[in-house]
Amino acid sequence: RGVLSGRTRRYMLSVLSRRINPLVAAPSKAAHRASSLRRTLRSPQRRRAIHASAMTEQKFKEVREILGAPPRHWVGNGFHVFPVFHNKAFTKELSPWLMFDYAAPKEFKPSYERRGVGQHPHRGFETITIAWQGEVEHGDSVGNRDVIGPGDVQWMTAARGIIHEEFHSTDFQQTGGVFEMAQLWLNLPKKHKMKKPRYQPILAKDIPVIPLKCANEEDREKLTGENTIRVIAGDEATYGCKAPADTHSPVELLDIRIANSKVPFDVPIPEGHNTIVFVRRGEITVGEKDKKVEQQGVALMHLGGDTLRLTATQKNTEVLLLAGEPIDEPIAARGPFVMNTHEEILQANKDFMNGKMGR
């Protein structure tokens, strides 16, 4: 990469800080309740009770809140995104997940202009980019350069600091076409925030695909088409396959396709994990109470329960499911940096301005 001038660094930080919400303050009441439940779920007595009842009783996760589709905005000149988490981004309510931008299918004409976001820094978390249509080209300050296409994932651990850029690939830019992708920000525990940066390219062919489980065995004969889960991240004991993503805390990332409508399916999710259900395409009901979630809407689930019930109300519905064990640590987020204290944010700014980040 080229050397960034001091003026360029200051401009980048000012723009990124305006786009991403400021330093997160005290946790909300909902986050406090969630923290109390996490302590209960982690107690030895509770773990033994969960283990003893696991084979005899299925407990369903129920909806805590449903968020509709927010207004879209542009990130750079290549990503027209829904900020899926609304004002809950960077809060403990969704931990360990921090932010979720979804670029719905959009037609781009052929162009000689680069479309995307130029060099910018990150520290203290991971970015996960999923491509469904089109191609995304990545380059960073530690020498990684790659292009991901439909079904591929790039998992970048910024950790102590990295400078990267993301654009439509050169081939896609010149040919044009439909572009659809998502970028997720995943927090790192404090003990991993200052480790060496890492890049995991995950190709579609390396992501295991497992069948969705019918809630009612008699519905199995009705199934046609693809009713599957692509397991990008998740525990082998839970899903019966080894997911390709190597994570720093217990996390589930599932790309779900439901061909059949009006057939309930059950998805296992560990009890005590925050669970976020995003509808990319179509419409679903979720939980035993059949709460409706429309296209580009998201359901936030309670921590309790070990099974998520999903029913598509439209054929060929597609869902992205994010879950994970909450990280019970303070969140300090400012611009492109996510740390635990305001002082660590100031240090990240200082390191970037002095050219000490991204090595």
Side-chain angles (χ1 to χ4, degrees), residues 100-177:
F100 181 175
D101 278 347
Y102 171 64
K106 180 178 176 60
E107 181 82 30
F108 284 88
K109 294 181 179 179
S111 173
Y112 290 102
E113 179 187 14
R114 296 200 78 188
R115 295 189 179 116
V117 181
Q119 291 184 353
H120 57 284
H122 290 304
R123 173 179 281 183
F125 63 100
E126 300 181 286
T127 69
I128 301 153
T129 304
I130 306 172
W132 286 287
Q133 300 183 74
E135 293 181 337
V136 181
E137 183 174 334
H138 163 93
D140 64 44
S141 56
V142 294
N144 299 301
R145 185 161 291 277
D146 200 8
V147 174
I148 61 170
D152 298 340
V153 178
Q154 64 178 29
W155 196 297
M156 186 187 79
T157 305
R160 69 189 182 202
I162 200 167
I163 297 171
H164 82 138
E165 60 184 19
E166 286 184 297
F167 289 95
H168 296 189
S169 75
T170 302
D171 286 347
F172 181 78
Q173 168 194 314
Q174 293 177 356
T175 59

Side-chain angles (χ1 to χ4, degrees), residues 23-188:
L23 188 68
V24 173
S28 64
K29 291 181 180 179
H32 178 74
R33 290 194 298 270
S35 180
S36 298
L37 179 55
R38 285 196 297 275
R39 287 193 293 271
T40 301
L41 291 170
R42 288 173 179 170
S43 70
Q45 296 87 348
R46 182 57 175 156
R47 286 199 298 271
R48 285 195 293 270
I50 290 170
H51 178 75
S53 64
M55 300 302 293
T56 58
E57 183 182 357
Q58 202 172 28
K59 292 172 289 183
F60 292 96
K61 289 187 177 290
E62 293 299 340
V63 173
R64 171 164 57 88
E65 188 174 356
I66 292 175
L67 307 176
R72 287 193 285 183
H73 66 265
W74 282 94
V75 177
N77 64 348
F79 308 114
H80 197 204
V81 302
F82 291 96
V84 174
F85 288 170
H86 298 250
N87 61 355
K88 295 184 183 294
F90 303 96
T91 69
K92 285 192 172 184
E93 286 188 60
L94 304 182
S95 177
W97 299 96
L98 295 166
M99 192 186 79
F100 181 175
D101 278 347
Y102 171 64
K106 180 178 176 60
E107 181 82 30
F108 284 88
K109 294 181 179 179
S111 173
Y112 290 102
E113 179 187 14
R114 296 200 78 188
R115 295 189 179 116
V117 181
Q119 291 184 353
H120 57 284
H122 290 304
R123 173 179 281 183
F125 63 100
E126 300 181 286
T127 69
I128 301 153
T129 304
I130 306 172
W132 286 287
Q133 300 183 74
E135 293 181 337
V136 181
E137 183 174 334
H138 163 93
D140 64 44
S141 56
V142 294
N144 299 301
R145 185 161 291 277
D146 200 8
V147 174
I148 61 170
D152 298 340
V153 178
Q154 64 178 29
W155 196 297
M156 186 187 79
T157 305
R160 69 189 182 202
I162 200 167
I163 297 171
H164 82 138
E165 60 184 19
E166 286 184 297
F167 289 95
H168 296 189
S169 75
T170 302
D171 286 347
F172 181 78
Q173 168 194 314
Q174 293 177 356
T175 59
V178 177
F179 187 82
E180 180 189 10
M181 57 81 72
Q183 184 165 101
L184 315 168
W185 287 19
L186 177 64
N187 204 5
L188 286 170

Side-chain angles (χ1 to χ4, degrees), residues 296-309:
Q296 270 87 69
V298 64
L300 311 180
M301 311 303 292
H302 286 290
L303 290 172
D306 58 10
T307 303
L308 181 73
R309 177 154 292 176

